[in-house]
Amino acid sequence: MAPASTRLVIADDHPLFRNALRQAVASVVSSAVVDEAGSFEDLTALLEKDAEVDLILLDLTMPGISGFSGLIYLRAQYPAVPVVIVSASDDAATIRRSLDFGASGFIPKRFGVDTLRDAILKVMEGEIWVPPDTDLTAAADPEMTRLRDRLVTLTPQQVRVLMMLSEGLLNKQIAYELGVSEATIKAHVSAILQKLGVESRTQAVIAAAKIAGSAWRQDTPTGK
């Protein structure tokens, strides 16, 4: 069913739910190596050490992630690694946007271990899994489509910078966190504004918040 070297990462800030996912994974492939991350920082640290991962199970609302920012970053930085969203927010719009941003599936947290197991099995077999009762046929909002197309042009580092802008960090704080110069961050911010077609940091965060809904926080200061 799956090779003995199968490696998965469960990224969720709730230990009990990580344990439920681990049980589901073990029932699909008992020999799988499963790493856990309780924050996006932990997840990126794991992947920077070893990006040879067969599947990432990603929560949309864990610390360090605002909306779809984590998914956008992972798809840009590690395009060969499939990512499945596991979230409590499971309306059709959220599921559709997850797939639009490159997720290989969407598993609502409300489902039990049996469904989690079946969904993980399907994804590991190369299928895209979403809840069977999901209606993905609704017409897409043209504005959302244009904004999504702009967001996916950001480089992985620019996505990280936008995530930190959304958290209210200043340029010098972002530079410290990423280990680069403040001038580099200013260049990234300028590129982000250009790619998103906006004129200020605050507008960039608001633009990102539009497509992510309330999950992408909007507490950016106007200062630099």
Side-chain angles (χ1 to χ4, degrees), residues 4 12 19 37 65 67 86 88 94 124 132 149 179 199 207:
D12 191 290
N19 185 58
I65 291 180
V86 184
T94 299
M124 293 185 69
D149 291 345
E199 298 179 354

Side-chain angles (χ1 to χ4, degrees), residues 121 124 140 210 219:
L121 177 59
M124 293 185 69
K210 284 181 180 178
D219 50 1

